[in-house]
Amino acid sequence: MKNPVEFHGIIPPMITPLNADYSLDVAHTIRIVDHLLEGGVHGIFILGTTGESASLSSDVKSDLIRQVCRQVSGKVPVLVGITDCSFVESLDLAAIAAESGASALVAAPPFYMNIGQEELTAYYRQLAEAVTLPLFLYNMPSHTKIFIDLQTVKDLSNHPNIIGIKDSSGDLGNFEALCSTFRNRQEFRIFVGPEEILTQTLEMGGHGGVTGGANLFPELYVQAFEAFQTGERSRLKDLQDTILFLSKNLYENQTYKSCYLKGLKAALAFEGLCRGILAPPLSAYNEEEKKALHEKYLRVKEKVSSTVTL
């Protein structure tokens, strides 16, 4: 089993590059993995929300796991999302991840069934018993319609194969409670999802961020984490301000509920890091929307360039 302390810092939730037929775009997968590694990330998380895992075929998922693990080749930990409504499908993905050399698994609650905390606890225990790689819980209530309560996390943390949680609830009170609860158990790792609160959660005791914008500008987020570690508060504020500027300009356009992913993939396509194709039911911005976004993207790129130290 991996040492949990190895999991820290900036672990981008990598997008899944797709071809027009929704198969895996291998060429751009290679390109973005190289981009992330060159940017100094501390790990890569595939098949999460940003990776559109719920919309991908089993072939794309398995192809992506094998490609990323082969390419990363142990340079940084690879975390693989195995969230599914089917327990057996989750186990199949977990087996491919283990065979491919992944470091850990990440699982959000099954997102269709109506379950409570007692059933959720039983589910995670069953999952942790059945997989060989260490497991992270993934709190994503906006998508799964169930919040992993603090007491549930405490109970599950006693399982030897459950080593941490990614909290994407955006609830700072909950994150602070998690950090307080596990202050003396640093082997249980706590990561934040929303990059807009990266600095606050690091100050609370979080171990890092699974930040979507790091797909685009990994150095920005890595340098923010490093500035926190070295106590450079003024620099950290500048970097966090730039992260907020990016979020405001790239994720909050139009009225779509999916504008975060539309904006992120479009921006990555501007840089040649993917084709900008989203899997149904999502779809890319139209040409007019892309043109409007591109003007904002250029301003974001300029601000990042003025903030990040090369």
Side-chain angles (χ1 to χ4, degrees):
M1 181 184 295
K2 274 275 185 182
N3 180 353
V5 179
E6 293 180 23
F7 300 101
H8 71 282
I10 301 302
I11 304 178
M14 197 182 92
I15 59 111
T16 303
L18 297 172
N19 293 312
D21 63 356
Y22 310 119
S23 61
L24 182 67
D25 180 348
V26 175
H28 282 98
T29 299
I30 292 170
R31 191 171 301 175
I32 195 165
V33 169
D34 283 345
H35 173 69
L36 295 176
L37 293 175
E38 289 166 6
V41 300
H42 304 93
I44 296 176
F45 170 38
I46 58 174
L47 298 178
T49 307
T50 302
E52 302 174 80
S53 61
S55 305
L56 303 177
S57 70
S58 57
D59 284 345
V60 169
K61 291 179 181 181
S62 58
D63 289 348
L64 181 70
I65 294 169
R66 293 186 175 108
Q67 172 60 41
V68 173
C69 288
R70 181 168 57 247
Q71 188 176 347
V72 171
S73 189
K75 297 181 183 72
V76 296
V78 175
L79 287 69
V80 177
I82 61 168
T83 303
D84 203 287
C85 290
S86 163
F87 185 74
V88 173
E89 291 289 342
S90 290
L91 294 187
D92 287 347
L93 283 177
I96 294 168
E99 292 165 5
S100 301
S103 303
L105 308 171
V106 184
F111 46 83
Y112 186 82
M113 307 302 175
N114 287 323
I115 58 175
Q117 297 298 311
E118 183 178 357
E119 292 165 302
L120 184 61
T121 300
Y123 164 79
Y124 271 123
R125 284 179 176 151
Q126 185 179 6
L127 187 60
E129 289 291 335
V131 299
T132 57
L133 292 175
L135 178 67
F136 279 88
L137 311 175
Y138 182 2
N139 190 29
M140 188 62 164
S142 62
H143 289 53
T144 65
K145 308 302 186 289
I146 184 169
F147 197 105
I148 307 177
D149 288 349
L150 178 61
Q151 186 58 52
T152 299
V153 179
K154 289 169 66 175
D155 292 344
L156 289 170
S157 71
N158 293 317
H159 192 289
N161 206 30
I162 295 177
I163 64 168
I165 184 169
K166 179 197 172 192
D167 182 25
S168 291
S169 68
D171 184 335
L172 279 169
N174 181 69
F175 200 94
E176 188 169 26
L178 284 168
C179 291
S180 176
T181 298
F182 294 100
R183 187 89 53 204
N184 296 321
R185 289 181 57 192
Q186 287 296 302
E187 74 279 3
F188 191 82
R189 310 305 275 176
I190 305 169
F191 288 86
V192 73
E195 60 206 70
E196 296 81 4
I197 55 175
L198 176 62
T199 293
Q200 293 106 306
T201 56
L202 290 174
E203 290 171 345
M204 288 174 182
H207 298 111
V210 185
T211 49
N215 279 278
L216 193 56
F217 299 114
E219 297 92 347
L220 172 63
Y221 298 80
V222 169
Q223 289 184 24
F225 181 75
E226 291 172 345
F228 171 78
Q229 287 189 306
T230 56
E232 298 174 80
R233 298 302 175 186
S234 176
R235 173 146 180 76
L236 176 58
K237 183 182 184 305
D238 289 344
L239 291 161
Q240 183 68 50
D241 285 347
T242 300
I243 290 170
L244 292 174
F245 185 81
L246 180 153
S247 172
K248 181 71 175 176
N249 283 275
L250 299 186
Y251 304 159
E252 300 179 22
N253 295 284
Q254 312 302 327
T255 58
Y256 303 104
K257 290 188 175 181
S258 59
C259 57
Y260 157 68
L261 264 174
K262 287 178 186 288
L264 180 59
K265 270 202 158 177
L268 287 161
F270 297 153
E271 288 295 321
L273 291 168
C274 73
R275 300 176 190 271
I277 297 167
L278 280 75
L282 303 184
S283 59
Y285 280 139
N286 62 38
E287 291 307 313
E288 184 178 337
E289 291 165 337
K290 288 178 186 175
K291 183 178 179 181
L293 182 71
H294 190 258
E295 293 177 6
K296 292 187 173 184
Y297 174 68
L298 292 177
R299 293 197 292 272
V300 169
K301 189 173 181 179
E302 182 179 2
K303 186 168 179 61
V304 171
S305 296
S306 68
T307 310
V308 168
T309 303
L310 298 178

